[in-house]
Amino acid sequence: MPRTQDFDTAEVIGLARDVFWDKGYEATSVPDLERATGLNRSSLYNAFSSKRGLFDAAVQDYLDRVVRPRLKILTAEPARPDAGVRYYRALAETLATLPEDCPGRGCLLLNSAAGFAAHDETQRMVVDAYRSELSAALTHALRALDPNAPAAVVEHRTRLLTSLSVSAFLLSRINRDEAIAVAHTAIEQLEEWRGTA
């Protein structure tokens, strides 16, 4: 008779997500995950098949509980002309208030892009899909900022803002002040575009 699971799967995934977010997939060991979740290797493997299975669950949790709620500022309907500014202000505020020892610095997905995603096709696709989702959200906000902007201009602006977002997240791991400055650069650029719309 199979043993019944006596732990909250969502809670375990959230705890593991924070370890992966802090240390990265490659540097996270199974003993790290055991310590963080309070479960032994056997329980983790029974529930998630492998360390990679737990990481994939953590990535989905990250997308659902962190990324998509953050992007709602950009994608809300009706679209607001100040959505982009509000997004980057919220990002700058988050970066400024996170404790130094917080595991949730940077972006779980972009952190992996600087590591194993370069050699793992599945993770590369996940990271690129995130970039695409972020770009689509920024495009939506930019169309509200300037409904008359030509498609090529919106595409150029989207690429610039996406790059600033990626830079801010990556820099937040090593230089919080510079990451905040990058977010403020995005705000200044958006306000300049709004002034010329």
Side-chain angles (χ1 to χ4, degrees), residues 17-115:
R17 180 198 69 204
D18 288 348
V19 178
F20 288 125
W21 196 346
D22 185 37
K23 299 182 80 168
Y25 176 77
E26 292 168 312
T28 298
S29 67
V30 174
D32 291 332
L33 295 168
E34 289 175 312
R35 277 190 295 279
T37 63
L39 298 177
N40 62 33
R41 179 182 305 250
S42 174
S43 295
L44 290 172
Y45 277 48
N46 282 335
F48 303 101
S49 301
S50 63
K51 172 183 157 183
R52 181 56 186 266
L54 181 52
F55 177 76
D56 290 343
V59 165
Q60 190 59 53
D61 180 74
Y62 177 74
L63 287 167
D64 292 341
R65 299 174 105 200
V66 178
V67 170
R68 292 186 180 123
R70 186 184 292 149
L71 294 182
K72 280 186 181 176
I73 294 173
L74 299 170
T75 60
E77 291 290 355
R80 291 177 49 166
D82 66 342
V85 168
R86 290 172 56 240
Y87 171 78
Y88 285 103
R89 280 190 184 138
L91 175 58
E93 183 178 323
T94 298
L95 293 173
T97 58
L98 278 179
E100 284 296 327
D101 62 348
C102 176
R105 290 177 300 125
C107 168
L108 172 64
L109 296 172
L110 294 175
N111 294 350
S112 78

Side-chain angles (χ1 to χ4, degrees), residues 10 27 37 40 60 70 80 87 94 101 120 146 154 163-164 175 182-183 185-186 188 192:
T37 63
N40 62 33
Q60 190 59 53
R70 186 184 292 149
R80 291 177 49 166
Y87 171 78
T94 298
D101 62 348
D120 183 286
D146 185 358
V154 173
S163 298
L164 288 171
N175 187 331
V182 168
T185 297
E188 290 161 13
E192 182 181 316

Side-chain angles (χ1 to χ4, degrees), residues 125-137:
M125 290 171 55
V126 169
V127 173
D128 198 46
Y130 161 68
R131 180 209 50 80
S132 181
E133 189 171 347
L134 172 62
S135 294

Side-chain angles (χ1 to χ4, degrees), residues 115-186:
F116 85 104
H119 309 287
D120 183 286
E121 183 64 16
T122 300
Q123 189 62 15
R124 186 195 66 74
M125 290 171 55
V126 169
V127 173
D128 198 46
Y130 161 68
R131 180 209 50 80
S132 181
E133 189 171 347
L134 172 62
S135 294
L138 288 165
T139 297
H140 184 265
L142 285 166
R143 286 197 180 114
L145 177 72
D146 185 358
N148 299 315
V153 170
V154 173
E155 182 179 354
H156 171 78
R157 291 175 176 178
T158 296
R159 189 168 286 116
L160 179 62
L161 290 177
T162 301
S163 298
L164 288 171
S165 297
V166 169
S167 296
F169 283 123
L170 291 175
L171 283 168
S172 70
R173 302 276 295 176
I174 56 167
N175 187 331
R176 179 202 309 253
D177 292 340
E178 187 60 24
I180 293 167
V182 168
H184 283 291
T185 297

